Amino acid sequence: MAGKTSKKSAKVTKKAAAKPGAAKAARPRKAAPKSQSRKAGEPVLLSGGNPQIAKADGDAPVQAYIAAMPGWKRDVGRRLDALIVRTVPGVRKAVKWNSPFYGVEGQGWFLSLHCFTKFVKVAFFRGTSLRPVPPGESKQKEVRYLDIHEDDPLDEAQFAGWVKQASQLPGERM
């Protein structure tokens, strides 16, 4: 019996070797080399260019997020952060779900930022209570958005007005 099994195995091996590409499939493949373009410690950019920053409280992770925002979005991030800090002294900051959050201690979060491929999205968590209401609608009842594209002018007075109003409303607990 052992002889028959050996002959059968030899036939199967011979047939497999005769098929085109069979020899290649049998060889182990080498792992693709890892990209060396990203420096150690530099944040990964997720889809749409959104920086991947570890969840943390405070100004430092928010500044790391802003510094990692690609291209023109970084300038928008700096401008928005400065406006928020100027409008709400002592604003609480954190990075959650790869997005900077702004809030008032004991009241919750009132807005967040997020990078997308072609714009920066500002989410006002109680946006339907702001006057005038920010233009971007949401699937969530109270949330409203402001999308800022590369060449869009930013009405700083209007934005500061929304930030001031939003900071005085009960925030989101997350």
Side-chain angles (χ1 to χ4, degrees), residues 3-68:
K4 287 184 180 179
T5 307
S6 297
K7 282 183 181 180
K8 190 173 183 179
S9 295
K11 280 184 180 180
V12 170
T13 305
K14 198 173 188 179
K15 276 186 181 179
K19 289 182 184 176
K24 276 188 178 179
R27 283 188 228 140
R29 297 184 182 223
K30 292 182 182 178
K34 291 185 178 181
S35 173
Q36 299 297 321
S37 63
R38 195 170 56 86
K39 296 176 186 170
E42 192 175 298
V44 172
L45 293 181
L46 303 171
S47 64
N50 193 50
Q52 184 177 27
I53 302 293
K55 179 181 173 179
D57 287 325
D59 184 54
V62 171
Q63 294 309 317
Y65 178 94
I66 291 169

Side-chain angles (χ1 to χ4, degrees), residues 70-145:
W72 61 269
K73 297 171 195 169
R74 184 177 309 121
D75 293 332
V76 169
R78 285 185 187 127
R79 237 171 117 191
L80 295 176
D81 182 70
L83 277 165
I84 295 165
V85 169
R86 203 169 39 239
T87 306
V88 184
V91 69
R92 180 176 173 217
K93 300 180 187 184
V95 170
K96 297 172 180 281
W97 302 287
N98 298 311
S99 296
F101 279 67
Y102 295 83
V104 175
E105 191 68 44
Q107 285 184 237
W109 305 105
F110 60 85
L111 75 79
S112 75
L113 309 177
H114 194 85
C115 281
F116 286 90
T117 304
K118 297 185 179 183
F119 58 94
V120 174
K121 183 177 286 292
V122 179
F124 292 96
F125 300 129
R126 301 272 186 246
T128 56
S129 298
L130 305 179
R131 296 295 172 252
V133 175
E137 293 183 10
S138 173
K139 291 178 184 175
Q140 286 123 2
K141 185 180 174 186
E142 294 185 62
V143 176
R144 294 296 287 207
Y145 299 115

